[in-house]
Amino acid sequence: MMITKRQYFATVDKGEQEYTIDIVEETSNVFTVSIDGKSSTVDFARMGDNLYSIIIDGRSYDIDITEKGDIFSVLMGGDHFDVEVLDEMKRLMKLRTSAGLEGRQVIEAQMPGMIWKVLVEPGQEVEAGQPLMILVAMKMENEIKAPKAGVVQELFVKPDQTVAAGDKLAVVE
Amino acid sequence: MMITKRQYFATVDKGEQEYTIDIVEETSNVFTVSIDGKSSTVDFARMGDNLYSIIIDGRSYDIDITEKGDIFSVLMGGDHFDVEVLDEMKRLMKLRTSAGLEGRQVIEAQMPGMIWKVLVEPGQEVEAGQPLMILVAMKMENEIKAPKAGVVQELFVKPDQTVAAGDKLAVVE
Amino acid sequence: MPDIIKKILVANRGEIAIRVFRTCRRLGIKTVAIYTHADRTAPHVRYADEAYCISDTETDTSYLKADKIIEIAKKAGAAIHPGYGFYSENPTFVQRLEEEDIIFIGPSAEHIKLMGSKTGARNAMVEAGVPVVPGTKNAIRDVDDAKKTAREVGYPIMLKAVHGGGGKGMRLVNSEEDFDSAFRMASSEAANAFGNGDMYIEKFIVGPHHVEIQILGDKHGNALHLFERECSIQRRHQKVIEEAPSPFINDETRAKMYEVAVKAVKAIGYHSAGTLEFIVGSDQNFYFLEMNTRLQVEHPITEMITGVDIVTEMIRVAEGKTLTYKQEEIFRNGFAIECRIYAEDPSNNFAPSPGLITVYETPGGPNVRVESGAFAGYEVPLYYDPMIAKVCSFGKTREGAIIAMKRILTEYKVSGIKTSIPFHQRVLKNETFLAGNYDTSFIDTKFDMEDLQRKEQKDPSVALIAAAIKQLISEKISAQRSVTRRDVGESNWKRFGRLTSLGNRLG
Amino acid sequence: MPDIIKKILVANRGEIAIRVFRTCRRLGIKTVAIYTHADRTAPHVRYADEAYCISDTETDTSYLKADKIIEIAKKAGAAIHPGYGFYSENPTFVQRLEEEDIIFIGPSAEHIKLMGSKTGARNAMVEAGVPVVPGTKNAIRDVDDAKKTAREVGYPIMLKAVHGGGGKGMRLVNSEEDFDSAFRMASSEAANAFGNGDMYIEKFIVGPHHVEIQILGDKHGNALHLFERECSIQRRHQKVIEEAPSPFINDETRAKMYEVAVKAVKAIGYHSAGTLEFIVGSDQNFYFLEMNTRLQVEHPITEMITGVDIVTEMIRVAEGKTLTYKQEEIFRNGFAIECRIYAEDPSNNFAPSPGLITVYETPGGPNVRVESGAFAGYEVPLYYDPMIAKVCSFGKTREGAIIAMKRILTEYKVSGIKTSIPFHQRVLKNETFLAGNYDTSFIDTKFDMEDLQRKEQKDPSVALIAAAIKQLISEKISAQRSVTRRDVGESNWKRFGRLTSLGNRLG
């Protein structure tokens, strides 16, 4: 069996602190994971679609991991962590893009639903927090607000359109 | 959408009676099924791996269907039916093989387990019901018996070997 | 002669349809489900003996199809139970059933209508001797008269706009000296907002609790109460946790509330199950708010502390029978708590989270009751209420019920969508909640979002480890994908097993 | 000073490990699981706070690893609960724990040893005034003496071979005139079979019932009973359905049994949970069979009718505390039934059915308790007991518990493996069972295989329709497979959804 080694850089809940993680796959299911040099033996087993049993040096955890790109939403015992895990290349790319595109905000749907009303037009100036449109899901109205002041560059949706979580709704720049 | 039509011939619990079934897929999920000419409208929806919700002319059934080749093990409300469903070609083939291979019995494992003991040798004459081997599963010993008198032609397993349900164990002819 | 009900159509969906079907299955009554196209795979459809689609088109998601429902019920020979919501408090629908000679498992159209009108309900209750929130209800014409009323009602009082709503044109007045200026400002605000400056006076309830009394009545003049439920834990005016009995009211208040509730039910001749909602002040005074003329979401906790099956009683009453019990045969045993599980993401401001449920493990063991409308493989639709289940715990003491619920929630696993389970877990750790000393402002004032964000486990190491390994496995699977292609058609679970071992073993 | 237990290792697996962990989680006690390589994905592993593998190799499936278990318990600082089976009645193991200063949550090694010996147990019970099955136990030397004994014991009697077993060398004697010939034949049969023709006499119990009394004792001389369980529904000497209380014994018998059980427990100074098993004849006479010095599989039904958490009491007793309750504080409320769900195929002579569980929906609603060791995605291993879960129902009456159980079993969905659920559904419809009038011969004499084969639904139309549509869909999927290939790596459930719609929509 080939041994896999990887190094990742991770942040938690969009925090400042960056953790360096080194992983070695020792045998089937068993990994050695070091976080900033502190090493643990980890037995990792899948229980169901997103459900995992993880044993770290004898501690047993029942964890739900939802993967969305490089962001892992980790739910354990009522605690929720959003962990971004990047390898060196992705980390470099991210540093570059976040420098370059700061002024341009792509607004994505945070939940699936139906666009009930669109309140702005392309070219319109908006303030930070100004509602752009109203999305209805499960009998509740949700205002989609401008994350910053700027001009509405693009609108990707129309009223009565159904959207999935993650669909692009608008661009404010 | 293409409409699918099929004709099948079915038996229940290895019984004598043969049913002629005509199916037409009307729209997505909806079928018209005739059994010996008696026709019903059927709404068929999958709920889980083997779990189906079937609505026949307004009657709702919660059914578990396990498929094994052309035999469908149907569990509904505590009732269990083994239904063999063949098209015309398979039906003809079956009639021929059962005539041709009557004397040759392939014994398959009815359950997964471990072969604990093999009690016969190739070439040995056995009586109907004579134990050929003992299979252990879940702390229970299960005797595998000769389905008919004959000679052990082949043995496919050895002691301590693990077998899956459906694995060939022996041939008695 | 009582009508024997042999078949029941539940004009509802999800957990409450299943709840009613459970009683039917126990009693040997046949069941009929209705469903929309979007709900074809909802669990109430396969639970029922019969199921009929009521959608006109594939995109029609409405359950408000009186004509179709009536047609189905007539054809099937079924009585109708409305559940909650939808047609449950619609007098026109009930009236039509009466005309069509279909048994409605609920109160009469008149009672629904009476209690559906705020004024009608208030007047009926005042007549029956039930206390209501003191005040005038009429527009203030003379300020001195109004002050006299305010003195009688007792400060603090609220000045409210007669034509108001949405919190505007309201002013809290703590003492008489503030009355004049408050009245001027509120009246002018109301005039601006609603084009009318008329104001009325209502007593302001300090530390308000939402306490409700479950009642049952039959058509023979019998009525009884099944104790109270405390429903003060609300978020956006939605109840989220209820408990029975109330940890707040004292036995004297309890006894008084039971008495007036039963008296009122008898006075108006109400039959079937119903609930009188009260606002109770920190001084234990209680005032009628409204009466719900239906089975409530939170009825299971009452069933758990009394052993009474409320749906069975509703069916009996609809058949014209008397209630199974007399008041003196009803005993309260222990404490029960209900958590409403919503398909919402508590870590993302409770955004709705519909979608495919991939893992669904419900809690087991003792002292638990789950009323669920979900299962693994179920796609929670966009179109309906986000409540997917109710989970209830029981204990000999309140503390016992709480620690049971904590244990129970740790066993409730839902993947694929987000649920409010972590929110409930936080509430169950909040000190004000544990002390049983909360009012309706709890979520806003005592349980702040910090409670929700706070982590039991401050160290993120385990999460980091889990995420990093998952990333490694995902990378391997994509690498694998680029070199291999697999057949379609193998069992879903076989494939799942293979992917798992692929993830675990490939190196 | 009592030892406070802060952590518990359960030297067991599956549902009983989880059962004990549930109480620990409620009490705030940390938990330790042990597991074999084959059980890495068993649910008790992820339920615990800590988990340690005890397998020496990948193929080692044994849980009998005293050295490792002791080492883990010492390192973790945990007390040990044995569950049932494995080390639960092993005095050597318990002795070692006592030596190693590890708290054992169970009785003392001496009591286990005493009750593990048939003769020792019998003598101790006789001494404590507990009735045992009358007979000689010594080899018959003189036929006339033996006849005298038989007369005293009362016909019918059994002649049994002293060195016998497996049902051989036994003879039922109905009256004295048959004694001589029966003795000659049985003795000669025994001589042939076992090389020794010695025989003894035992009373033959007509219509025997298996009734057991649950007891609790502490280290301070307190003992109490938690009423009885009726366990006469057995298949191949395995209990399959138990109920509490017994529908058979009368109140006089009940009272006598409770009294002798508690007296016996006090007489021998037993502590922790235990069960006295009795055989009760159709004449209501009862005789001690054996004492189980452990938590029993069927303890939940006793918990349901008493509200006592037996595991909590075991932990208290192990800590040196007194029992929570006095006898007069224990009340019996209602009826409870347990069905043991086995991974066995009742339509194939109860062949073991291990394998991957693809759908696992446990029953919800009121009056149910599920103790399960399975979940969707779990592969039931070959190596262990086939019991995957216990499901219990509660009712105010026995009939109520039975109809609740019927409803409950219809909601229990397990796909991928076969289970004994349909078998239980048949038993619950059997008239002898419903009458509560069964003895230990029930499965063989009253519930024949015809009961099992009989179908509710005689018309196979629905099954034919279901199978034919499934065949059509499978044919389409294989046709599709031969023309398309799909990527690996998509979500398991996404793929499931796609396959479903493929099956449903492709034409």
Side-chain angles (χ1 to χ4, degrees), chain D residues 462-507:
Chain D
V462 177
L464 283 164
I465 288 169
I469 295 177
K470 189 75 175 63
Q471 178 70 295
L472 178 71
I473 291 171
S474 294
E475 286 181 4
K476 281 185 185 181
I477 291 173
S478 0
Q480 181 70 3
R481 191 194 315 176
S482 65
V483 293
T484 327
R485 289 184 167 259
R486 297 270 169 179
D487 282 349
V488 181
E490 66 188 315
S491 147
N492 175 48
W493 276 106
K494 255 192 222 149
R495 182 165 185 287
F496 160 63
R498 196 167 48 66
L499 283 181
T500 310
S501 50
L502 193 74
N504 287 333
R505 276 177 224 151
L506 261 181

Side-chain angles (χ1 to χ4, degrees), chain D residues 12-13 16 18 31 80 126 134 149 158 166 175 197 235 237 239 244 332 346 374 394 397 406:
Chain D
N12 216 304
R13 65 181 297 281
I16 194 62
I18 292 173
T31 53
I80 292 181
V126 169
T149 306
M158 273 305 250
S175 64
R235 210 181 53 76
H237 302 289
K239 297 171 186 171
R332 201 181 75 189
F394 178 81
T397 60
K406 282 185 185 174

Side-chain angles (χ1 to χ4, degrees), chain C residues 242-277:
Chain C
E242 299 98 342
E243 48 183 315
S246 163
F248 164 67
I249 62 172
N250 62 36
D251 284 348
E252 200 189 322
T253 307
R254 233 180 279 280
K256 275 193 242 161
M257 290 178 81
Y258 301 157
E259 197 197 325
V260 299
V262 173
K263 226 173 89 187
V265 168
K266 287 190 177 168
I268 65 171
Y270 185 88
H271 63 83
S272 196
T275 301
L276 281 86
E277 293 192 343

